[in-house]
Amino acid sequence: MAQKYDRRRYGYTDGSLAYDLDALARERALDDAGRMEQPHREPTPQPKRQPVARPVAKPSPLVLACAVLLTGLVVLLLMGYVRLTQVNTDISEMKSEISQLEERQVALLTQYEKTFDLATVKRVAEEAGMKKPTSGQVEYLELPSSDSAVVYRGDAGTALENIVDSIAAAVSSVVEYFR
C-alpha cells in the first residue's frame, strides 16, 4: 500500500504516460468496501426554542447613589478646571498689565526727574525772563523773640459755648485717662 502512495507522490508511470482514469474510482470502491452503509435519515425538525424572558434587573439604590455621586464629582472636577483656566487667564492678563504699568512708571519717573532737574529749572526760568537777585535786592530779617505764633479765632463763640467746650474737653480727658 505504501508503494501505491509513492507512485502517486513521485509521479511513477509504469512506462506509460497516459493517466489512469479508473484509478480514483477503484480507490474509492476499496475504501467504501470496508464500511457499513448507514440508512439515510431525514433530520427530525427540532422544535423552535423561544428565548426565555429574563427578569429586568433593577440596580440597587447604593449603585444609583454611587453613580450620581461619581457624576457630581466629575462635573465638579470639570468646573474646577474651567475656573482654574479663568484664574490663569486673569493672572496672565494682570502680569501683562503690571509690566505695562512698570514701564509707564519708569517713563513718568524720568519725566518727573526732568521736571525737577536743576539745570532744566534754571534753563526754563531764564527763558521766562527770571534772573538771580543782586545783593542789593536781598534783605535778611532777624527777629528778637523766639519762634512762636498766635492764632486768633475769628469765629469766637459766646461764653456759654466756651463753658460747654471746656466741660467736653475735661470729660474726654477723664475718659481717655481711664482707658
Side-chain angles (χ1 to χ4, degrees):
M1 190 131 176
Q3 213 174 23
K4 176 175 75 173
Y5 292 120
D6 286 344
R7 284 184 192 165
R8 262 190 291 160
R9 186 178 303 158
Y10 297 112
Y12 184 71
T13 58
D14 285 335
S16 171
L17 291 178
Y19 187 72
D20 188 9
L21 295 176
D22 291 333
L24 285 176
R26 279 190 304 250
E27 283 181 29
R28 217 177 274 144
L30 283 173
D31 286 342
D32 290 342
R35 290 192 198 141
M36 288 181 55
E37 280 192 33
Q38 302 235 346
H40 181 63
R41 282 194 221 169
E42 288 284 324
T44 58
Q46 296 287 332
K48 287 189 177 179
R49 294 185 181 175
Q50 294 286 333
V52 177
R54 294 183 183 167
V56 177
K58 293 181 182 178
S60 70
L62 181 62
V63 171
L64 289 176
C66 288
V68 168
L69 180 67
L70 183 64
T71 304
L73 289 175
V74 167
V75 168
L76 184 67
L77 180 68
L78 291 176
M79 296 304 288
Y81 279 131
V82 168
R83 181 68 182 135
L84 180 64
T85 305
Q86 287 176 341
V87 168
N88 281 339
T89 304
D90 292 345
I91 287 173
S92 64
E93 288 175 0
M94 286 180 186
K95 283 183 179 179
S96 66
E97 187 177 339
I98 285 173
S99 65
Q100 290 173 355
L101 289 174
E102 286 174 348
E103 291 173 6
R104 177 86 171 130
Q105 179 189 15
V106 168
L108 288 174
L109 280 175
T110 305
Q111 185 180 1
Y112 177 76
E113 288 173 358
K114 283 182 182 178
T115 306
F116 289 105
D117 183 27
L118 293 180
T120 308
V121 170
K122 185 177 180 182
R123 182 180 50 84
V124 170
E126 288 173 354
E127 288 175 0
M130 296 181 171
K131 44 186 164 168
K132 280 188 163 184
T134 60
S135 60
Q137 294 175 327
V138 177
E139 277 191 39
Y140 295 101
L141 296 175
E142 291 186 27
L143 300 174
S145 64
S146 64
D147 291 338
S148 65
V150 177
V151 178
Y152 296 102
R153 274 179 62 183
D155 59 339
T158 62
L160 186 59
E161 288 177 353
N162 291 338
I163 293 172
V164 170
D165 287 340
S166 63
I167 291 174
V171 169
S172 68
S173 65
V174 169
V175 169
E176 188 174 329
Y177 176 76
F178 287 110
R179 274 191 172 178

